[in-house]
Amino acid sequence: MSNWVPELLSPAGNFEKCKTAVLYGANAVYLAGLKFGLREASDNFTSLELKEAVEFCHQRNVLVYVVLNGFLHDSDLQELPSFLQEIEVLKVDAVIVSDLGVIEKVKEFTSIPIHLSTQASCLNAYSAMFWKNMGVTRVVLGRETSIQEAKSIKEATGLEVEMFIHGAMCMSYSGHCVISNYTQGRDSNRGGCAHSCRFEYSLHADADKLKNEAAKKSFFMSSKDLSGLRALEEFIKAGIDSLKVEGRNKSEHYAGTVTKVYAEALAFYRKHGHFLSDALMTWERELKKIPHRDYTDASLISPASDASIYHDREHEQSDTVVCGQVLETNQDRIYLSVKSAFSPGDKLEIIPIAGPNFTMIVDEIFDMALQKVERTKPGTLVSIKKMSNVEKFSLVRKSL
Amino acid sequence: MKKISYVRNVIECELLNHLGFEELIVGHRDFSRFSDLDDAEFDSIVQYALKHNISLVFEWDALCEETKLRKLVEKFKAFPSFAFNKVRVLDMGVMQFIKDHYSWLKLQVILENGHHNSLGPVKLSNYLGGQLDRLILSNECSVEMIESIHREIKLHVPHEVELEILAFGPLLLFYSARHLLAPQKLQDYQSDRFIQYYASSEESPHTGFPLMENQHGTFMFNVKDICLFKVLQDEKLRVSNIIQAIRFDFRHLASKSEKENEFKMIAISLLESFTRGLDYQSADRQTISGFFKTNKTSSLFKKLKNQRTLRFDENYLGEVVDVVREKNITILIKNKLNVTLKSKLILVTPEGKRKEVSVTKLHLLNQLHINENQNELQVKELNKDQLYQMSYLSGVVFKTQIYLQN
């Protein structure tokens, strides 16, 4: 018997991350062209890369959603139609939009399905109905919405409902923060968010005392990261159509690990109809191995409490560091693109595309001129002895 | 242009009406983000406005999750139908609820976030039809954007739609549903319903961002208020036909418990400044004109991105993933192209250096141990995602992008 599970939607900040997410088990990816999205700092996709990415994904039955969720100005809208026609030819599966003007353009120039971005802060069934009337087929709900509320919204509107299950969170209602705009001249709603919520602030009831010792120092606006692993069964029972992983700006390590964990968990449920497994502990341990800021279930079950605030400087905790990604293999060796240094004798953990992770002690390391290497350097390619069947694009890391 | 402001008690209602404010906004603590009026206070204002024929607009600008909305809908239904005939809304769900169930109530829709183009407001205006009274535009809208919105509405909407801007008041920067101040265990914390603090960021030269927390969440405001009196005067001819309502928000300058005279003095002083086209001077608060003249919020950020590490044209071949000085360069092929011996390659480093080179040696990395001496390349379509090696070229570094010359 096969049980229904939601779509797993992973971030694809660039083509490499896209491949990683797809190979590690995403059912769909979201990505952006060079404009119109909210992650200007991400590499994003040129036209050629978009074409290749769509081919790559569709060959593997993975859907591609193109993000157009900036609050666009008139000048941006003038440039939009040519891009829309370009992605319609590529047969992308949906666009993710937050602005009513953009929705109008999408409808005018294409027949691509429209998903409403979380940036529009759709929080209730009436709001979802409004957006349905505007032509959207799916709503990505605001992260303040609980799973039970999402269920009600889906039942009331008949719309597909998507919720975030993992990743960093805006502390504000999405789309309702313009700190960067006024303090740094960067439009947070057109891809320029400066992450002002992650800064340390001095707090005092008297503005004149902010600089003295009486002021409390606090990271009061910084949110912990969302993890909905323990709420997976709730999502499934509520019939949430798509589970989204945040993080187009994050690394291949993040995209691969998070995707693999949730894909394995959903596959387990599909087969068994429950999550009663020791594997749950393994999945949780895996999620702690990637950089993160402490996890919270935020508002998935009940409104986010004090415990959802990350009272610490912006640094992402991790038990491991990614050493590299396998770019090539042959009978004897694997070729690693090095991201963090390692040496002979180090214990590396391989994250295979499928199946459990395994470790290996590094023997000799060679550079691309076949010279022995005592310690690798990031930004180089090295070869190490092949210990088991390792596929291309597998990630390799070590414990700290 | 109509002058609009907020009222928190009967005294303010009487005064602002007397001073010529054509429309007064009243909130209720359950519905409005910044109002602390309870049922009795709210009711007293409504009764006074009715008695004196004052145009009162009900503010429902809190964003509402499904559970919250259901509760508020029940409470809203209990309000007497004669209390007001206009509602200001921020949440599109609240807007849809009013449209579906209260077709006789006029809607004023707050577009404070986004809607910086004319197409969206036109669509919204046509969707709401005659029920739409006014659009409250974002503080980030420049006068050019407002002109464009006005022009397109005139062209494409068959009924009148007023446009409103904030002429004076605090600039809301951040709106969170979470309660962020109460958990800080601040020394002077008092368990008021409204907690007010100031914050200074380690990363910003600005100090003293006002903060507020109440039952709707936490809010941060800019250190400076917006004041458009001077630019509205300078642009008088330009704006007189396109903006129908201007809003004055000075609740933060005089709390409602302060003496009537203080509130009155600020109101009169603000109006005088507005009439004379001078920005309002306050000992406590500086002002800015925001983005009204021009919005350049995306110009800085574009410069931060290294365009040279992106791939752009059909002749893109791949990326350098390794360089061994004086020996070889390894490239990851990212595009299917025919490369022949003597094909010309263009290499663009992340620093922008450009090098051109003819292919003299190129072989699959997998053959490194097998065919090390291979030095010829026949006409060949290179395979995507495979690693090839070529001869060392000085100046070429990791992440150099490679293109095939036509």
Side-chain angles (χ1 to χ4, degrees), chain A residues 44-55:
Chain A
N44 295 319
F45 289 70
T46 62
S47 297
L48 193 61
E49 286 173 317
L50 264 178
K51 181 172 178 283
E52 290 176 23
V54 173
E55 283 172 10

Side-chain angles (χ1 to χ4, degrees), chain B residues 336-368:
Chain B
K336 258 187 173 180
L337 285 177
N338 288 323
V339 176
T340 62
L341 199 62
K342 297 203 174 121
S343 284
K344 285 222 164 170
L345 301 181
I346 300 167
L347 295 91
V348 183
T349 71
E351 295 80 26
K353 285 182 203 160
R354 189 182 161 97
K355 291 192 172 270
E356 291 182 18
V357 62
S358 297
V359 176
T360 55
K361 180 182 172 183
L362 195 66
H363 62 80
L364 257 176
L365 183 75
N366 252 340
Q367 296 168 3
L368 186 61

Side-chain angles (χ1 to χ4, degrees), chain B residues 31-46:
Chain B
F31 297 84
S32 171
R33 288 179 292 182
F34 309 126
S35 172
D36 65 350
L37 299 185
D38 59 22
D39 289 348
E41 291 171 309
F42 175 75
D43 190 53
S44 67
I45 294 173
V46 168

Side-chain angles (χ1 to χ4, degrees), chain B residues 178-196:
Chain B
R178 297 194 221 179
H179 297 270
L180 307 179
L181 290 173
Q184 299 306 315
K185 298 182 178 64
L186 297 157
Q187 266 186 341
D188 39 5
Y189 168 70
Q190 292 174 341
S191 56
D192 290 331
R193 283 184 59 255
F194 277 64
I195 306 171
Q196 289 185 299

Side-chain angles (χ1 to χ4, degrees), chain B residues 7-34:
Chain B
V7 288
R8 298 168 294 182
N9 53 41
V10 168
I11 295 168
E12 291 179 4
C13 201
E14 182 183 7
L15 175 71
L16 295 185
N17 184 44
H18 177 72
L19 289 175
F21 282 83
E22 286 92 340
E23 199 174 82
L24 301 177
I25 304 163
V26 63
H28 180 289
R29 60 167 58 163
D30 293 339
F31 297 84
S32 171
R33 288 179 292 182
F34 309 126

